Amino acid sequence: MPDIEKLELALQKERKAKIQAEHQLEEKERALNESHDVRQHHSSLLQKKNKEFELLLSLVQIGNQNIDITSLVQYYVDAVCKFCNWPIGHAFIVNEKTEKGIELQPSGIWHLDEANKFAEFAKLTDETVFTPGICVPGRVYQSEAALWIDEVFADNDFPRSKIGTELGLKSAFGIPIAHHGKIIYVAEFFSPREEPRNQYLLDILNTTGIQISTILARQRMERRLKKELKSAQKQLIQSAKLASIGSLAGGVAHEINNPIAFVISNTNTLVKYTDKLALVFAKYTELMNKLSLEADVTELVAEIIKLNQQYNVGFILEDLRDLSVDSVDGLQRVEAIVAGLKSFAYIDQTSDGVADINSCLESVLKMLDRKLKPKCEIVCHFTALPKIQGNESQLNQVFTNFISNAEHAIEEKGTITISTIHEDDEILIVFTDNGTGISAENIERLYDPFFTTKEVGKGTGLGLSISYGIVQKHGGDISVESTEGEGTTFTINLPVDGLSD
């Protein structure tokens, strides 16, 4: 083959290889570009998802702070403006109780990126009231759904059209905020940019509106539950108080019956004495009248002497004073018992007061005296204590529970020692018994509501739980040491400054 033909053939092969190389290069460039576009798309989606997540997370976090509705809506308006990068956000509040019917009134909740620039728009908005179906707020309220408007002020009949047009505001959207099934706010947002309807954004904002509604519903439920819990706690305290008073009732009845019995007996005797003295006195009166008339009184004097001997008037006059003194003493004893019992009343009162710990303990011991006497020796070591800020009625309830529990722990005969100590700014009340003791397992559950080691029907399991709550309310604490078969020591620490807020 001639050289020239070989040269042409080689040249053709080279051209073909070059064309193939160029095609391959174009394909690689195309693939790279497509890959870049995909990465950019994914990056854009990721950024959107991150912003969406940040918005929803921020609403959850603010909802957990249990702030009021107005502050929550304010936070929501600020968060949505930041999420959308829109400069104006505002919320209208729904008022259903007006003479004209339902009105959407300015709430004062605003987000303005440039306060001076949008001041007139905000001022006019704060002076405007809408009804259902009118403008962004009214249409959102009527439809009960998010609304997007591409050219918000195209209709010049709306109150804010002129100022909105002058400011160059273009797009808008509104979001309903519901609570307990009713729309209570409508949030509106404005942008100077022409932004076509963004369904993705509306879906996100619909979700956030539902989330705000959920937060409001949860807060309402929490407030109701707290109210019910507080009511239940009062009922439990009242129940425990009644249980304690029930255990005291027998002793109180016995203590009152004794003085009342002899006061009644003395009073009946006094009535008889009065009748006899009245008869004798009548004869004396008759004698005096006859003496004044200088009549014969021999027979009347003999009758008086007979009555004096028959009724033993001298003894009656002597006994009258003793009966009166005894009756006064008995009534004073009743008064003391009633006063002691009154200190157990009004256990649910919460006002601050001044409590004398030693006096409280003495009052409780008097009330429990009959219950404790058969098997318990009470040893008291009371030191001088300052009065503390506290609720005596509630502290009496605590002391009653601890002394009653100590008595129950003693099976036959035993000793309960009660000591009071003043250390710095703290008072210690120590209850020690030589009863059956408490197991380590049960010590961990002592303050659990309804936990009791007593036999069925003998205890509610509320005494120590309520006592612990009362001590904590007074800023104090309770500690316990116990050995099975040897006894138990409970120590209550109370600060002198007493009740906590």
Side-chain angles (χ1 to χ4, degrees):
M1 180 183 292
D3 292 340
I4 190 164
E5 291 180 359
K6 292 180 180 178
L7 187 59
E8 287 179 354
L9 184 60
L11 189 58
Q12 288 175 2
K13 289 180 178 180
E14 187 179 342
R15 286 196 191 104
K16 188 176 180 179
K18 182 179 179 183
I19 290 172
Q20 288 178 343
E22 288 175 349
H23 280 308
Q24 289 177 354
L25 183 61
E26 287 175 0
E27 287 294 328
K28 287 183 178 181
E29 287 179 351
R30 189 179 301 111
L32 286 171
N33 287 335
E34 288 178 355
S35 176
H36 179 68
D37 291 342
V38 169
R39 286 198 302 272
Q40 283 189 324
H41 178 67
H42 286 168
S43 176
S44 176
L45 284 178
L46 183 61
Q47 288 178 351
K48 285 183 178 179
K49 289 295 181 184
N50 283 340
K51 288 186 68 177
E52 175 186 342
F53 175 76
E54 288 175 2
L55 175 63
L56 295 176
L57 180 62
S58 69
L59 292 178
V60 170
Q61 291 173 337
I62 195 67
N64 289 335
Q65 296 180 19
N66 198 28
I67 61 176
D68 60 86
I69 292 178
T70 301
S71 300
L72 182 60
V73 175
Q74 178 66 68
Y75 185 89
Y76 176 68
V77 169
D78 291 334
V80 170
C81 284
K82 180 181 178 182
F83 175 76
C84 302
N85 196 25
W86 283 31
I88 301 177
H90 174 253
F92 280 88
I93 189 168
V94 178
N95 186 351
E96 297 181 345
K97 299 179 180 179
T98 70
E99 294 180 359
K100 299 179 181 179
I102 297 173
E103 290 184 346
L104 288 88
Q105 301 169 342
S107 67
I109 296 173
W110 279 98
H111 174 95
L112 298 172
D113 280 353
E114 299 178 65
N116 292 334
K117 179 178 178 180
F118 300 118
E120 286 191 45
F121 181 79
K123 182 175 181 296
L124 181 59
T125 299
D126 286 337
E127 297 171 352
T128 305
V129 174
F130 293 106
T131 54
I134 304 300
C135 253
V136 176
R139 290 167 65 184
V140 170
Y141 178 84
Q142 193 172 57
S143 65
E144 298 183 359
L147 173 70
W148 186 286
I149 303 177
D150 296 336
E151 295 183 33
V152 66
F153 296 120
D155 189 342
N156 292 325
D157 290 337
F158 291 153
R160 297 175 292 175
S161 293
K162 182 179 178 181
I163 184 66
T165 303
E166 289 175 358
L167 291 169
L169 299 177
K170 302 259 192 298
S171 303
F173 64 80
I175 303 292
I177 298 174
H179 178 42
H180 201 47
K182 290 185 178 182
I183 296 175
I184 56 171
Y185 282 93
V186 172
E188 59 175 6
F189 303 88
F190 299 91
S191 172
R193 301 183 296 275
E194 292 185 8
E195 309 221 16
R197 178 184 177 86
N198 186 333
Q199 189 59 45
Y200 168 80
L201 180 59
L202 277 181
D203 290 342
I204 294 299
L205 295 173
N206 261 328
T207 301
T208 59
I210 293 171
Q211 187 173 354
I212 290 294
S213 301
T214 303
I215 290 171
L216 292 174
R218 190 198 72 218
Q219 289 181 347
R220 181 175 180 270
M221 180 65 72
E222 287 177 351
R223 286 193 294 270
R224 191 179 76 181
L225 288 175
K226 285 180 180 178
K227 184 176 179 181
E228 290 177 354
L229 179 60
K230 189 174 182 180
S231 175
Q233 287 173 333
K234 284 186 176 181
Q235 290 177 7
L236 287 176
I237 291 174
Q238 184 70 10
S239 174
K241 179 195 74 171
L242 292 175
S244 295
I245 291 180
S247 67
L248 298 174
V252 171
H254 176 77
E255 292 295 330
I256 290 180
N257 277 340
N258 282 338
I260 287 294
F262 70 72
V263 168
I264 291 174
S265 176
N266 288 354
T267 304
N268 287 329
T269 302
L270 287 171
V271 171
K272 294 176 182 178
Y273 282 177
T274 302
D275 291 341
K276 293 175 180 179
L277 289 175
L279 183 57
V280 173
F281 183 76
K283 292 298 181 181
Y284 274 110
T285 303
E286 186 180 347
L287 174 63
M288 296 301 295
N289 290 334
K290 284 190 174 184
L291 286 173
S292 64
L293 297 174
E294 297 182 354
D296 183 13
V297 295
T298 305
E299 185 178 337
L300 185 57
V301 170
E303 190 176 350
I304 291 173
I305 292 171
K306 183 179 178 181
L307 285 175
N308 277 335
Q309 292 173 345
Q310 180 182 349
Y311 293 149
N312 199 356
V313 173
F315 172 78
I316 289 177
L317 293 173
E318 184 180 335
D319 198 33
L320 270 175
R321 188 177 188 284
D322 292 339
L323 289 176
S324 300
V325 169
D326 286 346
S327 296
V328 170
D329 179 64
L331 292 172
Q332 287 176 339
R333 283 174 59 187
V334 172
E335 183 181 43
I337 293 168
V338 172
L341 186 59
K342 283 177 64 178
S343 69
F344 288 85
Y346 313 115
I347 193 67
D348 56 341
Q349 71 182 41
T350 57
S351 59
D352 293 6
V354 178
D356 184 329
I357 298 299
N358 288 340
S359 177
C360 287
L361 288 166
E362 289 169 357
S363 175
V364 169
L365 288 171
K366 284 181 182 178
M367 300 303 299
L368 293 174
D369 183 61
R370 184 169 177 269
K371 179 182 179 182
L372 298 172
K373 268 182 178 178
K375 63 177 180 179
C376 299
E377 179 188 359
I378 306 298
V379 178
C380 297
H381 301 295
F382 294 171
T383 59
L385 300 176
K387 291 184 178 181
I388 71 168
Q389 290 296 313
N391 184 311
E392 282 196 350
S393 178
Q394 292 181 352
L395 291 173
N396 281 348
Q397 182 69 47
V398 173
F399 301 154
T400 300
N401 282 328
F402 279 103
I403 296 171
S404 296
N405 286 346
E407 179 268 335
H408 184 268
I410 295 171
E411 294 180 341
E412 294 182 1
K413 294 284 184 179
T415 302
I416 300 174
T417 303
I418 306 171
S419 306
T420 59
I421 304 165
H422 181 208
E423 291 184 353
D424 299 325
D425 294 327
E426 194 171 55
I427 287 175
L428 278 60
I429 306 103
V430 184
F431 300 89
T432 301
D433 67 72
N434 57 357
T436 55
I438 307 169
S439 68
E441 177 185 355
N442 286 337
I443 281 181
E444 295 178 359
R445 303 181 58 195
L446 279 178
Y447 308 116
D448 292 351
F450 305 107
F451 172 75
T452 179
T453 58
K454 298 177 182 177
E455 299 172 12
V456 176
K458 293 293 183 66
T460 63
L462 294 172
L464 283 178
S465 175
I466 291 173
S467 295
Y468 187 70
I470 292 173
V471 170
Q472 280 193 317
K473 182 184 177 230
H474 283 75
D477 197 9
I478 302 174
S479 60
V480 57
E481 295 179 4
S482 186
T483 303
E484 286 190 87
E486 295 184 12
T488 303
T489 296
F490 280 95
T491 302
I492 300 175
N493 299 65
L494 291 175
V496 174
D497 55 7
L499 288 168
S500 58
D501 294 331

